[in-house]
Amino acid sequence: SQQGEEDPQALSIQEGENATMNCSYKTSINNLQWYRQNSGRGLVHLILIRSNEREKHSGRLRVTLDTSKKSSSLLITASRAADTASYFCATDLTGYSTLTFGKGTMLLVSP
Amino acid sequence: KAGVTQTPRYLIKTRGQQVTLSCSPISGHRSVSWYQQTPGQGLQFLFEYFSETQRNKGNFPGRFSGRQFSNSRSEMNVSTLELGDSALYLCASSSRTSDGTGELFFGEGSRLTVL
């Protein structure tokens, strides 16, 4: 079963709006990462947040982590059409040496 | 620095055949992971190799196998192909950090179609 579950499965917004995606997970983690995938391509790493961190920023991206609720959110501010892609959260589980991915959120940003 | 290179990018096989996919990681990266991506199941972890040793394996049948060479290049093999094996196979390399798995660098994938 998937460790991380993103919500919503799909999101459609206009350029300039903010996009928020959520991720819930089930077990203890070392870190949580967000990735982006353009259609049919490889995944690109966006940001990593460690279990002892609560918030992290990178450009127009803001990630929060709540380990008590086992959840994370990715906020993309001032969205652009070029942000159209699928976004995945991935958890680094304690005791494992690889990442477990959710099924992703498909974001469509219309001009 | 060159990125992760996967070959071939596209291939078509028929049921019962076997296929070998190749992955060259980023120079200096010793960990290579393989994932299968399908519309229905999403990204499913296949296996991970580190310094030529399989360190983790996902829940896939024995038809799926892999190996890693001394130069960290990796191959995965799928024998007796089934229609359900049609997928995008993604390889990712990483340099481990002391506090867990670091960032994964993905290749563009190998798109396998089984007819």
Side-chain angles (χ1 to χ4, degrees):
Chain A
S1 63
Q2 301 294 127
Q3 161 70 350
E5 295 290 340
E6 290 92 341
D7 170 64
Q9 291 186 348
L11 180 60
S12 183
I13 59 174
Q14 299 289 318
E15 267 192 328
E17 296 181 336
N18 295 343
T20 299
M21 288 159 264
N22 302 298
C23 171
S24 60
Y25 58 93
K26 298 174 184 173
T27 60
S28 176
I29 61 171
N30 292 317
N31 65 65
L32 185 144
Q33 304 179 31
W34 286 89
Y35 287 79
R36 164 195 167 126
Q37 183 181 36
N38 288 84
S39 180
R41 308 289 297 275
L43 280 74
V44 175
H45 180 264
L46 295 176
I47 199 164
L48 179 155
I49 186 165
R50 293 184 171 79
S51 59
N52 61 354
E53 298 176 312
R54 291 299 166 257
E55 187 171 311
K56 208 160 182 181
H57 295 255
S58 177
R60 294 184 295 111
L61 306 180
R62 172 178 169 255
V63 169
T64 61
L65 178 65
D66 187 335
T67 53
S68 66
K69 295 182 179 178
K70 292 186 170 57
S71 67
S72 173
S73 67
L74 169 67
L75 168 67
I76 303 174
T77 59
S79 296
R80 307 165 181 167
D83 294 328
T84 295
S86 291
Y87 292 82
F88 296 87
C89 71
T91 48
D92 175 13
L93 307 181
T94 303
Y96 288 84
S97 59
T98 190
L99 297 181
T100 304
F101 286 81
K103 290 196 173 184
T105 293
M106 290 182 59
L107 173 65
L108 173 63
V109 182
S110 301
Chain B
K1 213 178 210 182
V4 177
T5 303
Q6 289 189 247
T7 57
R9 289 290 314 280
Y10 303 92
L11 65 166
I12 299 173
K13 294 284 186 178
T14 57
R15 280 182 297 175
Q17 287 187 313
Q18 66 93 26
V19 65
T20 298
L21 309 177
S22 179
C23 172
S24 294
I26 290 173
S27 177
H29 286 188
R30 295 163 66 187
S31 170
V32 174
S33 299
W34 288 90
Y35 290 84
Q36 180 196 65
Q37 186 176 30
T38 60
Q41 298 299 316
L43 277 153
Q44 300 282 316
F45 170 69
L46 281 158
F47 24 68
E48 187 238 355
Y49 288 88
F50 182 85
S51 294
E52 302 180 68
T53 300
Q54 186 181 87
R55 205 158 52 170
N56 274 304
K57 188 177 190 305
N59 189 26
F60 278 81
R63 299 185 297 107
F64 292 80
S65 63
R67 58 178 175 169
Q68 187 179 33
F69 303 94
S70 59
N71 62 358
S72 293
R73 190 177 70 85
S74 178
E75 288 181 349
M76 67 162 284
N77 184 277
V78 187
S79 62
T80 318
L81 284 166
E82 301 176 359
L83 295 178
D85 297 334
S86 294
L88 180 66
Y89 290 88
L90 292 163
C91 166
S93 72
S94 75
S95 55
R96 276 186 62 92
T97 60
S98 59
D99 57 351
T101 304
E103 171 185 355
L104 290 185
F105 295 82
F106 282 84
E108 292 293 338
S110 292
R111 168 84 55 191
L112 170 65
T113 301
V114 181
L115 302 176

